[in-house]
Amino acid sequence: MQVFDLMDKHGHEQVVFCYDKVSGLKSIIAIHDTTLGPALGGLRMWPYKSEEEALIDVLRLSRGMTYKNSAMGLNLGGGKAVIIGDPRRDKSEELFRAFGKFVNTLGGRYITAEDVGTSTEDMEIIRTETPYVCGLAETSGNPSPVTAFGVYRAMMAAAKEAFGSDNLAGRKVAVQGVGSVGLNLIKRLLEAGATVYAADIFPDKVQKAVELGAKAVPADRIIDQECDIFAPCALGGVINDETIPRLKAKVVCGAANNQLLEERHGKALSQRGILYAPDFIANGGGVINVAEELQPGGYRSERALAKVSKIYDILLKVFKMSREMGIETYEAANALAEERIRKALEQKRMYVPV
Ligand code: NAD
């Protein structure tokens, strides 16, 4: 594996391999781009099958954070970290303390937070070794309700673009995945007067949505559901060759990361007349919320929500760019993020840790 070639290919600045004998920590921190500020991105703990798989994942995820943070208007670069291990079996105080020490050696170039396989409790342990951690229980806490609010605002913008009105009352929305984000999104949609179809692989989760007023749909039928908007809130890669011909919706807008299995599926959606709200715009509420902790005076919920609300305007801008430039919406979202970084570079602003 040629690590420098991989870094060169996608413009990564720094990759740090961290090993601690006492705890058995095997971790990789990837800093993609710090043009806009220190690199913020979560810590993922996952039982990767190989070191190569972990490296590829952290490189991909850290680059994604550069785009998301830039598009959300944050003065933050993109980074991510992974720990190779099983979160149900391999967690210990020593493990997260060791990780925190490594984060601290970077002097603020990388700020960590929770992600798949890690929790606010884990962040508390990391906090004992470094100030460069956010997403703590007593500050911004669980980001899911805020992420759901951002998806809701994105859905309003997508409805305006696709149907000419952002009013979701009477719209039919099919939500795939009734997890932390999905359930909060369903609550908002029902309050707005939408008809909601909900699916999950766990019946008890669907039941919660049904109690709120949603209609249950089997997990393997939600793609085929007659609806206006399809909201992927479970897994990535759900928009693919197999699912695109089955979709009845006119809009795809949800919380899941990496919804397009491959970029070409963005084009395949628009060829079918389906509007795609790029995932890293629609689900950017979580990182906006966590980044609020870094603001002077610390975390303020109302300020975070006001910023998340602007996802509506950001997405309308993306749609406008897509129309005017004759490019796909996911390409327009990338262009928006890249433009902000390019302008910052032209102004010769550079993040220097103090
Ligand atoms: P979660 O684990 O709480 O919920 C995911 C739900 O999807 C679970 O209930 C699971 O049972 C269900 N599911 C899995 N496979 C399914 C399938 N094939 N069909 C139907 N349901 C299925 O996760 P979450 O925090 O709600 O996040 C949802 C998605 O949004 C993830 O892709 C996540 O990466 C992304 N996201 C979350 C946040 C956040 O703040 N939590 C922020 C940005 C992006």
Side-chain angles (χ1 to χ4, degrees):
M1 186 176 26
Q2 300 295 319
V3 180
F4 288 114
D5 286 351
L6 286 173
M7 290 174 71
D8 182 56
K9 191 169 172 198
H10 293 297
H12 288 80
E13 287 177 14
Q14 189 176 11
V15 178
V16 188
F17 290 81
C18 314
Y19 175 63
D20 172 54
K21 203 168 183 156
V22 175
S23 61
L25 175 81
K26 287 181 186 166
S27 170
I28 312 173
I29 301 171
I31 296 177
H32 176 253
D33 189 298
T34 56
T35 307
L36 295 174
L40 173 71
L43 166 63
R44 180 163 294 196
M45 185 165 182
W46 194 254
Y48 293 103
K49 290 189 190 70
S50 67
E51 290 167 14
E52 186 169 356
E53 191 188 37
L55 176 66
I56 300 289
D57 206 33
V58 78
L59 290 177
R60 182 179 64 85
L61 293 166
S62 58
R63 182 165 178 266
M65 287 311 298
T66 298
Y67 280 78
K68 188 184 289 198
N69 291 342
S70 173
M72 290 300 110
L74 300 171
N75 292 319
L76 292 165
K80 201 91 181 183
V82 294
I83 291 179
I84 301 173
D86 185 338
R88 286 163 304 180
R89 212 188 49 204
D90 301 331
K91 285 189 180 183
S92 67
E93 182 189 350
E94 297 72 39
L95 186 91
F96 288 108
R97 287 192 87 121
F99 177 76
K101 282 178 199 277
F102 282 113
V103 169
N104 210 39
T105 63
L106 292 168
R109 271 176 57 72
Y110 168 67
I111 301 167
T112 200
E114 71 172 294
D115 194 69
V116 176
T118 60
S119 65
T120 48
E121 290 79 41
D122 303 331
M123 297 306 119
E124 300 290 343
I125 302 173
I126 293 169
R127 183 71 182 78
T128 59
E129 298 292 346
T130 181
Y132 305 119
V133 52
C134 45
L136 302 174
E138 79 274 13
T139 47
S140 70
N142 176 7
S144 302
V146 186
T147 301
F149 175 56
V151 176
Y152 175 75
R153 292 289 291 159
M155 222 176 250
M156 287 177 66
K160 189 171 173 60
E161 180 75 9
F163 311 119
S165 163
D166 64 12
N167 188 350
L168 295 174
R171 292 268 163 235
K172 294 180 185 145
V173 186
V175 180
Q176 181 188 45
V178 190
S180 320
V181 180
L183 189 65
N184 280 290
L185 175 65
I186 288 170
K187 272 186 207 154
R188 286 199 179 265
L189 289 169
L190 290 168
E191 278 163 19
T195 302
V196 178
Y197 301 91
D200 200 287
I201 45 173
F202 294 109
D204 57 321
K205 297 205 172 195
V206 180
Q207 187 51 32
K208 281 191 196 158
V210 169
E211 280 161 22
L212 294 173
K215 298 175 197 305
V217 175
D220 59 352
R221 305 304 301 163
I222 193 75
I223 301 280
D224 311 287
Q225 178 60 45
E226 204 69 55
C227 63
D228 301 305
I229 301 169
F230 174 64
C233 295
L235 310 167
V238 71
I239 304 298
N240 56 47
D241 292 334
E242 194 264 321
T243 56
I244 292 171
R246 291 166 54 193
L247 284 171
K248 308 283 187 301
K250 285 273 164 253
V251 168
V252 172
C253 177
N257 279 313
N258 306 313
Q259 291 168 27
L260 304 176
L261 185 61
E262 293 170 36
E263 287 200 339
R264 67 184 173 87
H265 293 120
K267 192 172 186 66
L269 275 182
S270 67
Q271 280 169 344
R272 276 213 56 210
I274 302 171
L275 179 69
Y276 174 59
D279 46 17
F280 70 85
I281 307 282
N283 70 18
V287 75
I288 292 177
N289 193 52
V290 112
E292 265 306 297
E293 288 183 28
L294 305 170
Q295 291 299 309
Y299 181 74
R300 288 215 335 255
S301 161
E302 64 284 8
R303 197 171 51 188
L305 288 173
K307 282 188 192 165
V308 174
S309 184
K310 294 217 162 64
I311 287 178
Y312 178 94
D313 306 280
I314 296 171
L315 193 52
L316 286 183
K317 188 170 175 187
V318 166
F319 292 144
K320 186 162 180 272
M321 285 171 72
S322 160
R323 262 187 278 113
E324 290 178 354
M325 296 163 79
I327 56 177
E328 300 301 331
T329 55
Y330 76 88
E331 293 172 314
N334 287 345
L336 180 86
E338 284 164 6
E339 185 185 57
R340 199 163 162 254
I341 295 169
R342 185 180 50 75
K343 283 182 178 164
L345 269 177
E346 277 172 16
Q347 288 177 324
K348 293 195 180 11
R349 284 201 203 126
M350 190 178 136
Y351 174 70
V352 182
V354 286

